Amino acid sequence: MDYQEALKYISNSHKFGMKLGLETTEKLMEKLGNPQNGLKIIHVAGTNGKGSVCSFIAKILEKSGYKVGLFTSPFLEVFNERIRINGKNISDEQIAKAISEIKVRVEKMIEEGYSSPTEFELVTAMAFLIYKWEKVDYVVLEVGLGGRYDSTNIIKEPLISVITSISLDHTKVLGDTIEKISYEKGGIIKENSAVVVYSQSENAENVLRNIAKEKNTDYIEAKFDSIAIIKNDINSQKFNFTIGNKSFKNMEINLIGEHQVKNCITAINAIEYLRKSNKIKNITDESIKLGIKETKWPGRVEKIMENPTFIIDGAHNEDGAKSLKNVIDKNFKNKKLILMIGMLEDKDIDSVLDILVPSFTKIIVTEPNNPRKISANKLKKKIEKYTKHVESVDNIEDALKRTIEISDKDSVIISAGSLYMIGEVRTLMRKISDYDFE
């Protein structure tokens, strides 16, 4: 099996849909020899900020001298992004080899009467297998959906669990209240362990604290009341904060938005616990500082062009839209703002539009390349409740051309909504922008 055949095999598993529950994952991992059991894992769940927190933790560990696996989803441009080692995507050959191994086990499972694994179950199994082969020191593992029944929750004893900001998303699957969603996210908390929690609403925190108490697990709240922002612009941020009695001074990150400062502090809370509990050695103040400064997380308030300024952001729910709106208000007041937007129909579209649309003078609507998309015309009609300065262009490339066409060098273009859309925008912009993409 080569790389393209492996991707086709993974893609064909779409027909098995999404199944919550660990029975199929458990059987597949058993067939593979349970590679996850030999890995040292930091497990991260949440609605917003999971990828950023994972990236901060992984880069700090890398700068501390370790070989670090980072598992995230979805990908922006190439499938290989989902499984990385020390910041580098795994190779086509590694994917082909792993899926060849997995395919044999899946065929045996089906012969024995078990269900076929879903796409996410296959990709999770592949990540564990490759990380075992590559003998990584640590894995930073992002939950796909929810937590309790997510395939990644096959792991038994993480070094620590982390739960980022929780808000309403995937309500048809996870529940229609913050309490229900928090319960699902809290499913990654393990017995006699520790969990770091991004400072949440009281309703969410009550649920998570109760789970931690029932499981005799240390509950560590990442608090943000000590944050002092020294510098905050569209290129970087510098800030001070404290954790307990320890002060962190002149900490600098290149991720934009005050929410990223909070994500960074959440990650450092986890790192501090791992350092103090002696679960991970060799972490220094310098490796923390260097790690967060070098952390990158494409597609999250990411500037991809100058003159005009062009930013892409995966704001697809209410909290994500609020974070983006804060960035706009902070950095782009009195600018000509152009929005290029495409969304999935199962998202909270109206909340996102309520927050974002009033800031923009012109809006171009398009469609993500995903079967769950809302049509450009249908989204346009929703936006027309706010403004008549909106155009619909179905094809993403044509929409991008039109967006740039109506801008000038002093404009600010923001492409937001579905990660599937902004990933394609990022790829297309590589061809026309001389910006230094990572």
Side-chain angles (χ1 to χ4, degrees):
M1 182 181 287
D2 63 20
Y3 174 69
Q4 292 301 330
E5 289 169 334
L7 291 189
K8 185 176 180 181
Y9 179 78
I10 294 168
S11 178
N12 284 343
S13 63
H14 265 304
K15 63 189 176 186
F16 302 116
M18 178 185 68
K19 299 192 294 282
L20 290 181
L22 297 175
E23 182 182 359
T24 304
T25 305
E26 286 171 348
K27 181 51 63 173
L28 177 56
M29 300 313 297
E30 180 186 311
K31 294 285 186 186
L32 290 166
N34 285 314
Q36 77 281 3
N37 289 347
L39 299 170
K40 295 176 181 177
I41 295 171
I42 295 103
H43 201 191
V44 182
T47 307
N48 294 296
K50 296 191 299 291
S52 299
V53 169
C54 285
S55 296
F56 281 123
I57 293 171
K59 185 59 73 171
I60 290 169
L61 294 178
E62 180 189 335
K63 290 300 172 183
S64 300
Y66 295 109
K67 187 175 184 179
V68 186
L70 175 61
F71 178 69
T72 58
S73 61
F75 64 90
L76 278 183
E77 297 181 83
V78 294
F79 178 87
N80 310 46
E81 294 170 26
R82 298 180 71 166
I83 303 171
R84 280 168 280 178
I85 298 174
N86 280 7
K88 296 186 182 301
N89 299 345
I90 57 167
S91 68
D92 296 355
E93 291 74 21
Q94 286 172 309
I95 290 173
K97 180 184 176 186
I99 291 298
S100 296
E101 294 268 344
I102 289 168
K103 183 173 181 287
V104 173
R105 273 63 173 193
V106 170
E107 288 169 352
K108 289 181 180 177
M109 284 175 59
I110 294 170
E111 285 175 11
E112 294 171 8
Y114 290 95
S115 299
S116 292
T118 64
E119 177 185 8
F120 191 72
E121 286 172 325
L122 291 176
V123 178
T124 302
M126 177 169 62
F128 287 139
L129 202 54
I130 291 172
Y131 290 144
K132 179 184 177 182
W133 290 342
E134 292 297 316
K135 296 181 172 62
V136 299
D137 296 308
Y138 299 100
V139 173
V140 186
L141 187 70
E142 181 188 19
V143 167
L145 177 65
R148 190 161 59 109
Y149 292 127
D150 186 77
S151 299
T152 62
N153 210 27
I154 190 74
I155 64 170
K156 304 299 183 188
E157 296 180 2
L159 296 177
I160 194 169
S161 302
V162 182
I163 298 176
T164 66
S165 174
I166 295 175
S167 61
L168 293 174
D169 201 4
H170 300 290
T171 53
K172 290 181 180 178
V173 179
L174 301 179
D176 57 0
T177 68
I178 288 294
E179 290 86 352
K180 290 177 182 177
I181 292 174
S182 299
Y183 180 73
E184 295 299 326
K185 306 288 186 187
I188 71 166
I189 300 172
K190 299 297 191 294
E191 299 274 355
N192 304 312
S193 184
V195 60
V196 167
V197 178
Y198 183 109
S199 187
Q200 304 281 346
S201 67
E202 185 177 354
N203 290 350
E205 285 198 359
N206 286 341
V207 172
L208 297 173
R209 284 183 186 278
N210 285 337
I211 294 173
K213 185 176 180 180
E214 288 169 7
K215 297 193 174 183
N216 194 34
T217 288
D218 292 336
Y219 185 99
I220 303 154
E221 182 184 358
K223 297 181 180 180
F224 309 130
D225 49 6
S226 67
I227 297 173
I229 303 290
I230 302 167
K231 174 195 174 189
N232 182 331
D233 60 31
I234 202 58
N235 296 305
S236 65
Q237 303 185 85
K238 191 176 285 188
F239 53 97
N240 302 331
F241 67 98
T242 60
I243 296 177
N245 295 322
K246 182 170 183 178
S247 295
F248 292 81
K249 301 287 188 182
N250 296 312
M251 308 300 282
E252 186 173 3
I253 60 174
N254 292 312
L255 303 189
I256 307 307
E258 291 184 20
H259 62 292
Q260 294 292 15
V261 173
K262 294 176 180 179
N263 288 333
C264 178
I265 291 171
T266 302
I268 293 174
N269 267 271
I271 288 290
E272 282 294 288
Y273 172 84
L274 293 169
R275 177 161 66 165
K276 288 178 180 176
S277 62
N278 216 28
K279 290 188 175 183
I280 300 181
K281 301 175 182 178
N282 301 336
I283 299 172
T284 65
D285 290 350
E286 185 59 30
S287 64
I288 292 173
K289 201 164 191 175
L290 188 59
I292 64 168
K293 187 173 182 179
E294 293 191 14
T295 296
K296 301 189 184 303
W297 189 227
R300 282 70 172 180
V301 193
E302 179 188 15
K303 185 166 72 172
I304 58 173
M305 189 167 76
E306 300 265 19
N307 303 318
T309 298
F310 196 127
I311 289 166
I312 58 175
D313 184 62
H316 61 265
N317 57 30
E318 184 176 359
D319 272 15
K322 286 178 180 177
S323 294
L324 177 57
K325 179 69 162 55
N326 288 338
V327 171
I328 292 168
D329 291 345
K330 174 76 177 176
N331 296 280
F332 302 123
K333 280 195 171 179
N334 304 317
K335 290 282 189 177
K336 178 185 176 183
L337 288 163
I338 301 169
L339 175 65
M340 176 180 168
I341 188 168
M343 296 192 69
L344 302 185
E345 194 154 24
D346 56 5
K347 297 299 180 181
D348 186 3
I349 295 170
D350 293 331
S351 292
V352 172
L353 298 182
D354 277 343
I355 294 163
L356 292 182
V357 167
S359 297
F360 293 87
T361 55
K362 184 73 178 179
I363 298 169
I364 303 296
V365 176
T366 191
E367 298 177 357
N369 290 321
N370 187 285
R372 289 154 48 209
K373 68 187 178 185
I374 182 172
S375 72
N377 196 46
K378 190 172 178 181
L379 184 56
K380 178 175 180 281
K381 287 179 180 176
K382 283 180 172 288
I383 292 173
E384 283 173 341
K385 297 174 186 175
Y386 304 88
T387 177
K388 297 302 179 186
H389 300 291
V390 54
E391 297 179 31
S392 171
V393 184
D394 294 355
N395 178 271
I396 291 177
E397 185 168 6
D398 291 339
L400 179 59
K401 288 176 181 175
R402 178 60 180 154
T403 302
I404 294 173
E405 182 181 289
I406 64 174
S407 69
D408 55 49
K409 66 181 179 65
D410 295 320
S411 300
V412 175
I413 300 170
I414 296 180
S415 179
S418 168
L419 285 168
Y420 297 98
M421 181 197 72
I422 65 168
E424 187 167 343
V425 169
R426 196 175 195 269
T427 299
L428 291 167
M429 286 298 294
R430 287 178 185 275
K431 301 173 185 177
I432 62 175
S433 172
D434 58 3
Y435 202 74
D436 183 21
F437 284 81
E438 291 294 332

